[in-house]
Amino acid sequence: MTERKTVDFWFDPACPWAWMTSRWIIEASKHRDLDVRWNVMSLFVLNEPKLDELDEWYRDFMPKTLPAVRVATAVAEQYDNETLGRIYTALGNRIHLRGEKDADVYIPSALEAVGLPAELAAAASTDKWDEALRASHQRGIGLVGTDVGTPVVAVENDEGVQVGLFGPVVTPAPQGEAAAKLWDGVYAVTTTPGFYELKRSRTDGPNFDNLTFDL
């Protein structure tokens, strides 16, 4: 693959698996000609039609995902792609690497780290940006269907048609040439006509040991 590719990546900041995959795609972009275009999606919106069917702990967790993704959406709507990527990094560092649970703490901290106005924290507790969030979410889910989650990765095939898949789900995030090789495989299966799924049961949880707090 010699032609430069744009990879669309849909994320919810609350998801540790999406966070792991995002660190992989950033690493892969250092070794392959990739431009990552960040997009928000929402675990709450995804599960909204079936909230009553979820396990109690997961149902209780869903509203807690909204503050970070609302702030990310506000950034997406008002700033550029690089800034959205940076706020995602800053939020993920705090949520996943530090294990911070209080949105009233990690959101202002992330905004400060990126150099964004503190006033953006107000987006966490309002539905002002929810229409934009749902529109972005639908763009991603429209590529893969509703029986998946976050992340969604999409790229144009040889015919110029955008195609996407859920995943990859991987832990820990591959580094160096291993990240590039995984991208080669993901690109191959994503752009193969008629390809839908590869899967095996997870035996490990998210492993962040090889990631550094960098923003």
Side-chain angles (χ1 to χ4, degrees):
M1 293 183 295
T2 58
E3 181 185 353
R4 195 163 190 87
K5 304 291 185 184
T6 296
V7 184
D8 275 290
F9 189 102
W10 276 266
F11 66 89
D12 184 319
C15 179
W17 296 104
W19 170 252
M20 195 84 65
T21 306
S22 72
R23 301 309 96 180
W24 156 73
I25 198 63
I26 290 172
E27 180 70 12
S29 72
K30 300 174 184 177
H31 303 273
R32 295 291 187 267
D33 289 332
L34 304 178
D35 296 315
V36 182
R37 188 161 56 197
W38 302 105
N39 304 266
V40 291
M41 64 183 296
S42 169
L43 289 170
F44 180 87
V45 173
L46 181 69
N47 289 285
E48 197 172 25
K50 53 184 179 183
L51 282 177
D52 292 341
E53 303 171 17
L54 300 177
D55 291 340
E56 183 177 359
W57 72 269
Y58 199 57
R59 184 171 63 250
D60 292 343
F61 174 66
M62 283 299 99
K64 298 175 184 177
T65 67
L66 284 173
V69 77
R70 281 173 163 168
V71 169
T73 303
V75 172
E77 291 297 299
Q78 299 176 85
Y79 295 88
D80 58 15
N81 182 66
E82 180 184 0
T83 306
L84 177 57
R86 283 168 55 79
I87 194 62
Y88 180 31
T89 291
L91 287 167
N93 281 341
R94 286 153 181 78
I95 295 169
H96 304 301
L97 298 191
R98 282 185 178 169
E100 295 179 2
K101 307 297 184 184
D102 188 349
D104 290 337
V105 174
Y106 65 70
I107 286 175
S109 174
L111 291 171
E112 181 180 7
V114 178
L116 288 170
E119 292 78 11
L120 276 169
S125 56
T126 177
D127 62 1
K128 177 179 179 180
W129 303 103
D130 283 9
E131 184 177 351
L133 169 58
R134 289 177 181 274
S136 178
H137 175 92
Q138 188 53 49
R139 287 194 298 272
I141 288 297
L143 295 170
V144 296
T146 57
D147 58 343
V148 297
T150 177
V152 170
V153 172
V155 66
E156 287 188 356
N157 63 17
D158 292 339
E159 287 72 46
V161 177
Q162 191 178 43
V163 289
L165 287 175
F166 161 64
V169 176
V170 59
T171 186
Q175 303 291 307
E177 186 59 22
K181 287 175 63 177
L182 178 56
W183 164 253
D184 294 342
V186 169
Y187 179 81
V189 298
T190 302
T191 57
T192 296
F195 178 85
Y196 292 104
E197 186 174 2
L198 280 173
K199 191 170 184 178
R200 61 182 167 191
S201 297
R202 302 175 197 171
T203 57
D204 291 310
N207 181 340
F208 306 118
D209 289 349
N210 67 346
L211 300 178
T212 57
F213 192 100
D214 53 2
L215 189 64

